[in-house]
Amino acid sequence: MIDVNMSSYISKPALFNVKSVAIVGAGPSGLAVAKFLLAEEAFDHIDIYEQQAEIGGVWNYTSNIAGKTPVPQVSPHGPAESPTWPEGTTAPLFSNPMYDNLNTNIPKELMQYSDQDFLPESLSFPTREDVQDYLIKYSQDVRHLINFSTQVKDIRSVFKAGQNSWKLTSKFLVTKDEKTSTYDAVVIASGHYSMPYIPSVPGIKAFHTAFPSAITHSKTYRSSKAFKDKKVIVVGSGASGLDIGTQISKESQKPLLNSVRTPSPIKIGQENKEEVPLSIKVAEFLPEVQGVRFSDGRIENNIDDIIYCTGYFYTYPFLTSLLPPPITTGRRVQGLYKQLFSIHHPTLAFTALPQKVIPFPLSEVQGAAIAKVWSGKLWLPGVEEMQEEERRQVEERGDGTSYHMLGFPKDMEYINGMGEWVKTAKGREGKKIKPWGERMSWLRECYADARKKFVETGGSARSLEEIGFVYPGDEIEKPKL
């Protein structure tokens, strides 16, 4: 039930009276939020729920691939993920999109949190192992708050006595015991890499029935070795599509077909690939010849594997009772102010939703805003004003996937804008946030070129300076002799 007088409720920060907070997810975003909540010294009780046995979220690699992705997968509405419990492990495991051989596509100087550097010996574009080690170190002062191997099953709003609260039901996966706890506020930091999107294409169901292991999603990719001497199509030109396609092309039949929106900026390995423009998309599956027909009429037969690197839905299976629903098509989260606070339920926040951003610094500034608003030191506008801002954003960016796509310089504007808003909070400062200045702007603008140079020079550089990227402000004119 939505309070009809919610506008006045959220215009008075003292009425929040938040003392207990639940955080769903101990990935990079959940950890950052927890640190800012602790530093605010305004909350009596903070619990973090993490379904894996370790922190890290998407960076917590597991070789286990749990379950199978439905083909096609065109709806965000479905049950929560189910884990597997392989022999010899101490807790259930969940699959995630992390694969064996992965380096970040963001340099460490830009990627890192403001209060912790990557180790000097880490590569300039760190390996997945280095990122996970970095996050484990970052988590040390909030680990005592984390309920590991605990899956959130249901969260529902309860409104009584003029105060909104939340009943959260969780399941400890080791013993299968369930419990329900009540919180004043909830942070959803569970990420958006759990439910893959695989489009519905004519013939895809019949093809999948005939060849049940041929169509997969990048979420289940781990190593190129499984594709040795196979005829492969990779659909997608995002970071994962280009990287996975390049890796597989070294093992598969030549050329690997890569259906791309834009040509790859990194030309290493291109001799093993044929890039098919997205305008010439896979138009039909042909199970009778184990093939596909492209929209230009081209037919490729005897296809062994087709990997869809087509992204994910936003999905929250534990929020099915919430009205209005935050998810309809799964292409964006609806009803949010500043892509963070629920407009109708302002003690509910969704972190790290924006894409094409630098996620760790973004999570810090979101954590700072949450801590200030819920401690009553920073005001939210009324419902109508927040809804009007959301409408303006929809008009500007669209109502689908593009809504959460920021990119540069929008992400820098978001981080600095949120930071300026947080500075207007009353009372003690709490944990500090660092605005993006000229150096960070320069890094953000040139990092794609730096990533290209990093790969082309062998992928061993431990600083951007090693590959020729020096911030102009650091250049010192040598004295004339």
Side-chain angles (χ1 to χ4, degrees), residues 75-141:
S75 171
H77 305 293
E81 292 180 276
S82 296
T84 59
W85 199 335
E87 185 177 351
T89 58
T90 58
L93 300 175
F94 290 83
S95 180
N96 67 23
M98 193 57 54
Y99 45 92
D100 291 357
N101 182 23
L102 183 142
N103 289 78
T104 68
N105 59 356
I106 304 172
K108 60 186 179 183
E109 299 93 333
L110 183 63
M111 182 179 186
Q112 64 197 14
Y113 295 109
S114 62
D115 58 351
Q116 180 179 307
D117 292 341
F118 275 92
L119 294 175
E121 56 265 32
S122 296
L123 294 177
S124 183
F125 293 82
T127 64
R128 62 167 178 82
E129 295 92 340
D130 282 348
V131 177
Q132 177 65 358
D133 288 345
Y134 173 87
L135 290 171
I136 289 175
K137 179 181 178 182
Y138 182 79
S139 74
Q140 291 308 303
D141 53 357

Side-chain angles (χ1 to χ4, degrees), residues 458-477:
S460 60
R462 285 174 166 73
S463 70
L464 292 179
E465 288 76 12
E466 287 183 43
I467 52 177
F469 285 80
V470 179
Y471 174 58
D474 292 342
E475 294 177 344
I476 301 175
E477 185 177 352

Side-chain angles (χ1 to χ4, degrees), residues 239-295:
S240 62
L242 296 175
D243 192 30
I244 289 171
T246 298
Q247 290 188 19
I248 292 176
S249 70
K250 298 174 184 178
E251 301 283 349
S252 66
Q253 289 184 27
K254 312 297 187 288
L256 174 142
L257 299 180
N258 196 176
S259 178
V260 299
R261 187 181 303 276
T262 55
S264 171
I266 299 176
K267 300 305 179 184
I268 290 180
Q270 291 299 98
E271 66 275 9
N272 300 324
K273 298 164 62 177
E274 177 186 344
E275 292 187 343
V276 181
L278 190 63
S279 58
I280 308 174
K281 61 183 178 181
V282 174
E284 184 181 8
F285 282 82
L286 308 171
E288 63 276 8
V289 293
Q290 197 171 338
V292 300
R293 179 180 61 81
F294 289 91
S295 57

